[in-house]
Amino acid sequence: MAIRKIIIYPNEILEKECKEVTKFDRKLGIILDDMYDTMIKYDGVGLAAPQIGLDLQIAVVDIEDESGTIEMINPKILETSGSQTGPEGCLSFPDVFGEVTRPFYVKIEALNRRGKRFTFEAEDFLARAIQHEIDHLHGILFTSKVSRYLEVEELEG
Ligand code: CO
């Protein structure tokens, strides 16, 4: 397990379509473990592979709720509904926060680290985090969806 270096915007890997994972080997497990360690170390609630310099469709999310850590490989959004607007940030954009509107509910399909397919449903902040990370895998950054940038004081207030 190791802490990886986080790629800070601007960097072309952050705006690329990532490749689908085809090998479910020990190396993939190490990448996922390192992504988890890196996310925790930098106090994130999610991390996508391009943020550690890998153009692969791998993301982890953990908002410290009862869902635990969600590992998503080649994830696809099957369904969304509703709407939520709230503050968002990103480990690739230190000290940048903005209001983003996203669906309130999301249903995804993805593969786990053993290559087994699963579906997962989430609402509210967990749905937001999942959608933010899946966007990363398609080179979409949250800043392209910000309706209003926030000052740090507004977040703490
Ligand atoms: Co991000």
Side-chain angles (χ1 to χ4, degrees):
M1 306 236 250
I3 307 295
R4 304 274 184 123
K5 183 176 178 287
I6 295 198
I7 306 288
I8 303 299
Y9 180 86
N11 187 302
E12 67 173 22
I13 197 163
L14 295 176
E15 297 187 87
K16 276 179 66 174
E17 176 75 22
C18 294
K19 298 189 196 91
E20 288 204 346
V21 173
T22 54
K23 273 200 223 158
F24 295 82
D25 54 6
R26 211 178 92 81
K27 204 179 143 207
L28 176 65
I30 292 168
I31 292 168
L32 282 157
D33 291 343
D34 285 358
M35 285 175 65
Y36 176 81
D37 290 347
T38 306
M39 170 181 72
I40 296 300
K41 161 88 179 171
Y42 293 105
D43 244 339
V45 293
L47 191 68
Q51 294 182 277
I52 57 163
L54 300 172
D55 67 336
L56 292 169
Q57 291 190 22
I58 308 170
V60 295
V61 168
D62 192 329
I63 66 161
E64 293 181 36
D65 74 350
E66 66 284 353
S67 299
T69 306
I70 301 146
E71 295 182 345
M72 303 182 285
I73 296 157
N74 305 344
K76 290 183 179 48
I77 292 178
L78 299 179
E79 210 179 307
T80 61
S81 68
S83 174
Q84 57 173 318
T85 301
E88 222 166 276
C90 180
L91 293 177
S92 294
F93 291 83
D95 302 321
V96 176
F97 299 94
E99 250 174 26
V100 177
T101 300
R102 294 186 185 273
F104 182 80
Y105 162 88
V106 68
K107 181 177 182 182
I108 65 144
E109 179 184 84
L111 302 175
N112 70 13
R113 62 168 71 199
R114 292 178 304 281
K116 193 173 171 349
R117 193 173 302 277
F118 67 95
T119 59
F120 187 79
E121 292 174 282
E123 291 183 342
D124 210 340
F125 186 64
L126 183 58
R128 170 181 297 284
I130 286 170
Q131 292 173 83
H132 176 116
E133 298 314 326
I134 292 177
D135 273 355
H136 270 299
L137 306 180
H138 304 290
I140 300 165
L141 300 169
F142 86 111
T143 46
S144 71
K145 299 187 170 179
V146 166
S147 51
R148 185 171 75 95
Y149 283 96
L150 302 167
E151 300 302 326
V152 176
E153 301 80 66
E154 284 184 79
L155 291 166
E156 287 167 350

